Amino acid sequence: MWTLILNCGSSSVKVALLSPGDGRVALSGLAERLGSEGAALRLDVQGERRVLALGTGSYAEAFAALLGELDALGLRADVRAVGHRVVHGGEAFSAPALITPEVLDAIRACSALAPLHNPANVAGIEAARAAFPGLPQVAVFDTAFHQTMPEVAYRYAVPDAWYRQHAVRRYGFHGTSHAYVAQEAAAMLERPLAELNVVTAHLGNGCSVCAVQGGRSVDTSMGLTPLEGLVMGTRSGDVDPGLHDFIARQAGLSLDQVTAALNRESGLAGLSGVSNDLRELEAAAGRGHAGARLALDVFVYRLAKGVASMAAALGRVDALVFTGGIGENSVPVRAATLARLGVLNAGVDDAANARAVRGTPGVISAPGRLLALVVNTNEELMIARETARTLGA
Ligand code: ADP
């Protein structure tokens, strides 16, 4: 029994075929450069790599190639459902949803909130429904987990009409990952999730922290868009809202140019002038590059402030969880972040921290200090589980 997980972007589709029960992965891959020359579906079938050229590179061609591969592997008959990662569910979705024409319309209606992502998600869902006509399809939303945030956490102090008429509020993202790692942390600690207050830090190219109380999100650092909050690879995170107007006038930029710069030329990349990739920054800082050092310091400083603000939302913190490419691998970022969180009685165990790399989870805090853990996120598995749960399997 396999579930096909699809994450459809404007020019790419991430695919994974996995078993929701035990997490086994039959294949994973990426269709990329869709819509342009050189479109291809790259698959990893249990360690064996295959590259399939895609004609004009439409979603339909990518899915046809995938079906051919499923047939060749004799897996097609055992695929029971398709789970789609959908970025924005607005206030319409607080849980995954079986995709019906009405649900598809509601996802389309959230497009203004995620103009780069939701239209691609919708196009991918439509193509998948055509390619896999017999299979139930489920949408799993990045925002849904955060719909439990109280109004004090999700409202901005802006004119009320902006919320009523334009849905301006904080939504939060990375919900699938925050929910998954909170569950995993509870399992690792052998404590009921319902009794735990955890701060989860998802640190990848995008970064966010979340306050999880008894398995429910009560606050998170991303807001209306994924630009709010922490410093990220190329995203600024929080800036003064007055910055847009100021820099547009000073530098003669349009609103679109300012928005693009804050999303794509800021964060670690913008501050360092070196790279958005944390590994490269750690290497450059090691060689004495001042910009790289500064970028790392600002990243950690803002992360620590973000964790502390989630602690304020929770009142009591039982554990801090690091995940994502940076959270699962960067020993220095974790150590420096814990060093800045004396206010929460945080303290690192250096040997345990050094061991928790390359997919090895574990507790990294010193005895008697705030529990700090490294947990490997697995959004595909969580989407597969949510898909199965939605279908009542
Ligand atoms: P995405 O958000 O795109 O899924 P990832 O979760 O893979 O991204 O995280 C990417 C980030 O993780 C990059 O900044 C990368 O440098 C960082 N990273 C990956 N491996 C390591 C490592 N061994 N040490 C430090 N940082 C790492």
Side-chain angles (χ1 to χ4, degrees), residues 13-14 42 53 98 115 188 198 242:
V13 182
K14 271 194 208 154
R42 295 169 195 283
L98 178 69
M188 213 187 258
V198 293

Side-chain angles (χ1 to χ4, degrees), residues 6 15 22 31 43-45 60 84 106 162 182 208 212 230 233 260 285 294 298-299 323 325 355 361 378:
L6 299 175
V15 304
D22 56 16
L43 291 178
D44 178 331
V45 185
H84 290 268
W162 292 5
S208 66
V212 186
L230 306 180
L294 176 68
V298 175
F299 180 86
T323 194
R355 279 195 299 274
N378 190 339

Side-chain angles (χ1 to χ4, degrees), residues 252-339:
L253 300 174
S254 70
L255 196 55
D256 282 350
Q257 287 172 316
V258 176
T259 302
L262 291 172
N263 276 290
R264 297 205 287 270
E265 296 159 23
S266 300
L268 293 172
L271 261 173
S272 68
V274 174
S275 172
N276 64 310
D277 189 300
L278 197 97
R279 273 166 300 199
E280 288 183 32
L281 290 183
E282 286 178 342
R287 293 191 300 270
H289 190 287
R293 182 74 265 153
L294 176 68
L296 291 169
D297 289 347
V298 175
F299 180 86
V300 164
Y301 178 72
R302 293 271 297 275
L303 171 58
K305 287 213 303 187
V307 171
S309 73
M310 293 300 113
L314 289 170
R316 181 197 88 229
V317 184
D318 298 315
L320 168 60
V321 178
F322 291 94
T323 194
I326 296 171
E328 292 168 29
N329 290 293
S330 177
V331 174
V333 163
R334 294 188 308 235
T337 305
L338 293 176

Side-chain angles (χ1 to χ4, degrees), residues 18-91:
L18 47 84
S19 154
D22 56 16
R24 274 180 308 136
V25 180
L27 63 80
S28 62
L30 178 69
E32 55 187 349
R33 301 178 60 95
L34 296 179
S36 53
E37 288 281 306
L41 173 62
R42 295 169 195 283
L43 291 178
D44 178 331
V45 185
Q46 272 143 25
E48 191 192 318
R49 290 177 196 279
R50 302 187 195 178
V51 181
L52 308 164
L54 301 173
T56 57
S58 61
Y59 288 121
E61 276 167 301
F63 295 149
L66 183 60
L67 273 174
E69 199 62 18
L70 294 176
D71 276 334
L73 294 165
L75 292 171
R76 184 167 175 172
D78 294 325
V79 181
R80 293 299 150 83
V82 182
H84 290 268
R85 178 181 188 178
V86 177
V87 168
H88 220 305
E91 289 187 332

Side-chain angles (χ1 to χ4, degrees), residues 49 73 95 99 131 196 209 223 246 260 268 277 305 319 338 357 366 370 387:
R49 290 177 196 279
L73 294 165
I99 296 172
L196 277 185
V209 281
F246 175 83
L268 293 172
D277 189 300
K305 287 213 303 187
L338 293 176
V357 289
L370 170 70
T387 298

